[in-house]
Amino acid sequence: MEDLQRKIRSFTTVSDADMKFALQFYKKESVAKGSFLLKPDQYIDSFYFMKEGCVTYYTVDEGISQVMEFFTEGYFFTDLYAYIQEVPSHAYLEVMEDSTLYTISKKDVEKIFDYSHQLERFGRLSMQKAFINNFQRIHQIKNISNQERYLELLEKRPSLFQRVPQYLIASYLGLTPVGLSKIRKRLSKEAI
Amino acid sequence: MEDLQRKIRSFTTVSDADMKFALQFYKKESVAKGSFLLKPDQYIDSFYFMKEGCVTYYTVDEGISQVMEFFTEGYFFTDLYAYIQEVPSHAYLEVMEDSTLYTISKKDVEKIFDYSHQLERFGRLSMQKAFINNFQRIHQIKNISNQERYLELLEKRPSLFQRVPQYLIASYLGLTPVGLSKIRKRLSKEAI
DNA sequence: ATGATTTATTAAACCAGTTTAATTATTATT
DNA sequence: AATAATAATTAAACTGGTTTAATAAATCAT
């Protein structure tokens, strides 16, 4: 669990004793492509760390799916809204390729936050990070054109395009598959 | 500072001693309509609690303003992105009406988080709240039509329409003033 | 390898918004 | 109260996307 340890310490100082206490609660889990960690109307009690693999987080409203995020190596994730609020989820967490996760229950997360002030601080700072990510997402949606967002994703997370179908990327960008296809065509013409 | 105290305790249990420690750092401040708490390229070192009044949080990209939020009574606020990242802001915090705030510096916020585990927990939970608010914002943008968002705002925060000009509300909803005017016209026709 | 299924592209008609510009209504100032 | 300044509406032309449907390309299973 060295990658998980490194990730935790990227947020704040954590003593070896505190780290040992925290890590005891994480369980390694292998999940197969095509399976689901979560479906709508289920409660979610787990927090995940992605060691290796890819999970898509999306909702389905009136038959059309809305991709919120793709979780890949090094991401902490869950359906954070349903997890925090303890309400039935509206989302799917679908495993896109055979993946390895570290899993911890909410009860155990609360134990580690109770256990030490430093671990509570880690909790605060990781929540801060989640906020920043979301904030940047809103900024992108409000201030950046679809075409620019597509190009930025292509640059920042190129491997996604090998790992998930394009129609999910379209949804992530807030487009239909047709819309994304048009943008790609426009760009390929411009490039000539 | 009873309202501030009540607000803090709405997040988690805080002892009287811890509360006293925290409150000593907050300073009451009166700010006049038309003034700015923040302008682009400035750093922001303060966290605010809105006692009475209204502040608009917006960016200006290529001459067009993008309203992120309206902060009214009971809101904790700052330019959270610039505050956390300690980078020059891209935003304005403009005072829309004579307002009363409680202000605390980031240095002092960190003092109170260092001081007690309970206050650190308050920090974590308030960050969680900020995340949830942002998350719901994204959900709205992605899943709800402009018209529906307008109607929801009208229902949830009707007083805003008395307090800030309509073109700022349009921007908050992701529209131009013309676009919002059209929606309003459409709705008034339907109502007949 | 072949056929079946899924995914991506293309075309055409459409639409909810935009932009620009003119007009009207409201608010603030003297 | 009159005037100036600001804000909101309307109209007209436009646009970047949508929807629907057909076709082409890629992937999967036997």
Side-chain angles (χ1 to χ4, degrees):
Chain A
M1 300 200 175
E2 264 161 50
D3 37 13
L4 174 53
Q5 216 167 125
R6 225 177 304 121
K7 181 77 178 186
I8 290 172
R9 287 206 163 113
S10 76
F11 287 97
T12 191
T13 308
V14 176
S15 73
D16 289 347
D18 284 1
M19 183 62 81
K20 195 178 162 200
F21 183 83
L23 291 183
Q24 73 178 305
F25 296 109
Y26 283 91
K27 286 188 184 50
K28 194 171 182 173
E29 198 177 336
S30 293
V31 289
K33 175 175 177 169
S35 64
F36 291 85
L37 301 175
L38 179 71
K39 288 189 178 180
D41 299 322
Q42 296 178 348
Y43 288 82
I44 185 158
D45 180 51
S46 296
F47 214 110
Y48 300 99
F49 174 77
M50 176 65 79
K51 182 177 173 56
E52 178 69 49
C54 181
V55 163
T56 303
Y57 172 38
Y58 62 97
T59 57
V60 176
D61 276 22
E62 291 150 27
I64 56 165
S65 59
Q66 292 287 356
V67 173
M68 307 289 287
E69 194 52 84
F70 301 107
F71 300 116
T72 51
E73 289 74 21
Y75 274 74
F76 277 118
F77 72 97
T78 181
D79 174 357
L80 196 46
Y81 183 85
Y83 174 92
I84 290 172
Q85 307 281 60
E86 301 185 359
V87 295
S89 173
H90 294 111
Y92 292 87
L93 286 170
E94 180 177 352
V95 180
M96 306 309 286
E97 52 192 58
D98 293 353
S99 303
T100 309
L101 312 163
Y102 296 126
T103 308
I104 185 171
S105 72
K106 184 165 184 176
K107 212 163 59 333
D108 290 341
V109 169
E110 271 155 22
K111 265 187 212 155
I112 77 168
F113 290 164
D114 282 345
Y115 182 75
S116 98
H117 189 154
Q118 276 303 325
L119 290 169
E120 179 92 39
R121 176 158 299 177
F122 155 68
R124 175 169 66 84
L125 296 174
S126 62
M127 192 53 63
Q128 208 169 74
K129 182 76 186 317
F131 169 85
I132 291 290
N133 290 344
N134 250 247
F135 183 90
Q136 289 182 314
R137 197 85 209 287
I138 290 184
H139 180 264
Q140 281 190 335
I141 293 172
K142 289 201 85 170
N143 296 280
I144 299 181
S145 73
N146 292 323
Q147 177 171 318
E148 284 174 288
R149 277 214 303 289
Y150 165 71
L151 289 169
E152 203 173 309
L153 189 65
L154 202 57
E155 195 198 313
K156 292 235 176 102
R157 302 182 72 184
S159 74
L160 273 186
F161 293 76
Q162 269 64 63
R163 300 173 88 172
V164 303
Q166 188 173 299
Y167 69 88
L168 291 180
I169 288 175
S171 166
Y172 177 72
L173 295 169
L175 298 167
T176 59
V178 176
L180 178 52
S181 189
K182 271 179 134 180
I183 286 173
R184 283 161 56 84
K185 191 181 182 187
R186 188 162 70 223
L187 285 165
S188 69
K189 272 187 184 156
E190 278 173 17
I192 293 167
Chain B
M1 300 198 176
E2 265 162 49
D3 35 14
L4 174 53
Q5 217 168 124
R6 225 177 303 120
K7 181 78 177 183
I8 291 172
R9 289 210 161 110
S10 76
F11 287 97
T12 190
T13 309
V14 175
S15 72
D16 288 349
D18 284 0
M19 184 62 82
K20 194 178 164 199
F21 183 83
L23 291 184
Q24 74 178 302
F25 296 108
Y26 283 91
K27 287 187 182 54
K28 194 169 181 173
E29 199 176 334
S30 292
V31 289
K33 175 173 178 170
S35 64
F36 290 85
L37 301 176
L38 179 73
K39 287 190 179 181
D41 300 321
Q42 297 179 346
Y43 289 83
I44 185 157
D45 178 52
S46 297
F47 213 111
Y48 300 99
F49 175 78
M50 177 64 80
K51 183 176 172 56
E52 178 69 48
C54 181
V55 163
T56 302
Y57 173 38
Y58 62 96
T59 59
V60 175
D61 276 24
E62 290 148 28
I64 57 165
S65 59
Q66 291 286 357
V67 173
M68 307 288 287
E69 194 53 84
F70 301 107
F71 301 116
T72 51
E73 289 73 21
Y75 274 72
F76 277 119
F77 73 97
T78 181
D79 175 356
L80 196 44
Y81 184 85
Y83 174 91
I84 290 172
Q85 308 281 59
E86 301 186 359
V87 295
S89 174
H90 294 111
Y92 292 87
L93 285 170
E94 180 178 352
V95 180
M96 305 309 285
E97 52 192 59
D98 292 353
S99 302
T100 309
L101 311 163
Y102 295 127
T103 307
I104 185 171
S105 74
K106 184 167 183 175
K107 210 162 62 332
D108 290 341
V109 168
E110 270 154 23
K111 264 187 213 154
I112 77 167
F113 290 164
D114 282 343
Y115 182 74
S116 100
H117 189 155
Q118 275 305 325
L119 289 169
E120 180 91 41
R121 175 157 302 175
F122 157 67
R124 176 170 65 82
L125 296 175
S126 62
M127 193 53 65
Q128 209 170 74
K129 181 76 185 318
F131 170 85
I132 291 289
N133 289 345
N134 249 246
F135 183 91
Q136 289 181 315
R137 197 84 209 284
I138 291 184
H139 180 265
Q140 281 190 334
I141 293 170
K142 290 201 83 172
N143 297 280
I144 299 182
S145 72
N146 291 324
Q147 178 171 317
E148 282 174 289
R149 276 216 301 291
Y150 165 70
L151 288 170
E152 204 173 308
L153 189 66
L154 202 56
E155 195 198 313
K156 292 234 176 105
R157 303 183 70 184
S159 74
L160 274 186
F161 293 77
Q162 268 66 62
R163 300 172 89 171
V164 302
Q166 188 173 298
Y167 68 89
L168 291 180
I169 288 175
S171 167
Y172 177 71
L173 294 169
L175 297 166
T176 59
V178 177
L180 178 52
S181 188
K182 271 180 136 182
I183 287 172
R184 284 161 56 84
K185 192 183 183 188
R186 189 162 69 226
L187 285 165
S188 69
K189 271 187 187 157
E190 278 172 18
I192 295 168

